[in-house]
Amino acid sequence: MAPDVWNTIVRPMLLDRRGKALFLSTPYGRNWFWEVFKIGNDPAEPSWQSFRFTSYDNPLIEPDEIDSIRRNTPDRIFREEYLAEFGDDAGQVFRGVHEAATAPQFAVPDARGRYVMGVDWGRENDYTAVVVIEADSGVMVALDRFNQIGWSLQRGRLRALVETWSPEVILAEANSIGTVNIEALQNEGLPVRAFMTTSRSKRPLIESLSLAIERRDIALLPDPVLLGELASYEAERLSEGGLRYNAPPGAHDDTVIATAIAWNAANSGNVRIDFA
């Protein structure tokens, strides 16, 4: 809830009967809930108390189940959601971005390579971004980003990358404008599969890429646009407790989504995806 709800509405209602309030939340950075939590730890505030319990404290959950989750969850999310820790980086989705930018800038195709491609479509305000990853090594080998050109030219630029890298699969976002392009490319015989970005599919998509970057499972190209979009990408805590991932207002996330889709194509067994 908004901070002023407590001071202007709830607290006055508790005053006449010395009522009590219980604040329950998952930590999410150094926000208002953190300020309230600090009051409960202050000896000078005897009417307040703070408590913290981790998932390991829950007698109904086996510790090995939590350990399994930890191995497959980004560290920031695990510390918040399962260890109930307050972090300094609320909203920061991708950590260690620049440290993961170790891919060579001028890679050439290897006949032994197994390449996959991720595509996020855009035209005027947004950009179309195309990312190619070598699936076995996790090395990003190509990135193209463009806008203000027609669909025919966009498909032509994509075909040029296909001719160079011969991807086993092209996973392309199908939302709205993507469907027509996907059908056109499929009619040309390209190995294109459609990915539907929904609130259900986006979270595991982004969190899988976040974990890969954190663990250095993926080597990113040192492209300034890509690194900038990753560094500024945000997570917003929703009122019902979930997370919503987006670029900051007025910013772009085209290379982020294309990279996440390409990583999904390389590791489709690790993330549940919705195919059209």
Side-chain angles (χ1 to χ4, degrees):
M1 64 182 184
D4 60 351
V5 172
W6 165 247
N7 291 316
T8 63
I9 300 175
V10 179
R11 191 165 195 175
M13 295 175 65
L14 300 176
L15 183 62
D16 57 345
R17 299 196 181 195
R18 298 182 63 86
K20 298 180 180 180
L22 185 63
F23 298 83
L24 301 174
S25 179
T26 297
Y28 189 59
R30 304 302 174 88
N31 59 4
W32 178 70
F33 181 69
W34 178 68
E35 297 292 342
V36 173
F37 185 83
K38 287 196 303 179
I39 296 175
N41 289 326
D42 188 347
E45 297 285 353
S47 62
W48 289 74
Q49 286 183 292
S50 289
F51 306 90
R52 171 179 167 266
F53 302 99
T54 75
S55 295
Y56 288 104
D57 297 315
N58 188 335
L60 302 178
I61 301 177
E62 294 295 331
D64 59 347
E65 289 291 327
I66 306 173
D67 293 338
S68 176
I69 292 172
R70 184 169 200 161
R71 290 191 294 270
N72 297 282
T73 304
D75 186 66
R76 174 189 62 82
I77 294 176
F78 184 82
R79 290 185 177 278
E80 287 182 353
E81 299 287 344
Y82 299 94
L83 299 184
E85 293 183 2
F86 290 94
D88 293 319
D89 58 350
Q92 182 181 356
V93 178
F94 301 104
R95 300 195 299 178
V97 169
H98 289 82
E99 291 80 359
T102 58
Q105 288 186 277
F106 304 104
V108 294
D110 186 332
R112 299 166 295 179
R114 186 170 66 91
Y115 300 103
V116 296
M117 180 180 291
V119 183
D120 180 50
W121 300 104
R123 183 163 179 174
E124 296 180 0
N125 296 324
D126 290 324
Y127 288 78
T128 288
V130 184
V131 168
V132 183
I133 293 176
E134 202 289 308
D136 295 325
S137 64
V139 175
M140 184 186 295
V141 296
L143 166 64
D144 198 6
R145 176 178 181 265
F146 43 86
N147 74 346
Q148 302 294 331
I149 61 175
W151 296 127
S152 178
L153 288 175
Q154 292 198 27
R155 293 194 297 270
R157 290 183 68 152
L158 186 147
R159 282 193 298 272
L161 284 173
V162 171
E163 291 172 3
T164 300
W165 297 102
S166 302
E168 292 183 358
V169 63
I170 303 167
L171 195 56
E173 189 175 34
N175 302 40
S176 62
I177 57 177
T179 303
V180 174
N181 288 309
I182 290 170
E183 291 178 355
L185 293 169
Q186 288 173 337
N187 290 336
E188 295 178 22
L190 273 64
V192 183
R193 300 173 71 181
F195 179 85
M196 293 296 297
T197 304
T198 65
S199 57
R200 184 180 180 183
S201 66
K202 189 174 184 179
R203 179 169 180 174
L205 184 80
I206 295 298
E207 290 179 3
S208 176
L209 178 60
S210 174
L211 183 64
I213 292 174
E214 187 175 293
R215 294 183 175 179
R216 307 292 186 270
D217 292 334
I218 185 173
L220 303 170
L221 283 168
D223 180 89
V225 173
L226 170 64
L227 302 186
E229 288 189 2
L230 287 167
S232 64
Y233 203 68
E234 296 178 343
E236 176 188 357
R237 177 72 64 181
L238 302 176
S239 58
E240 65 270 19
L243 290 172
R244 177 165 55 205
Y245 293 112
N246 280 303
H252 297 282
D253 63 356
D254 314 283
T255 62
V256 173
I257 301 302
T259 302
I261 291 175
W263 180 250
N264 186 292
N267 300 273
S268 58
N270 299 333
V271 180
R272 183 188 182 281
I273 58 178
D274 297 331
F275 290 109

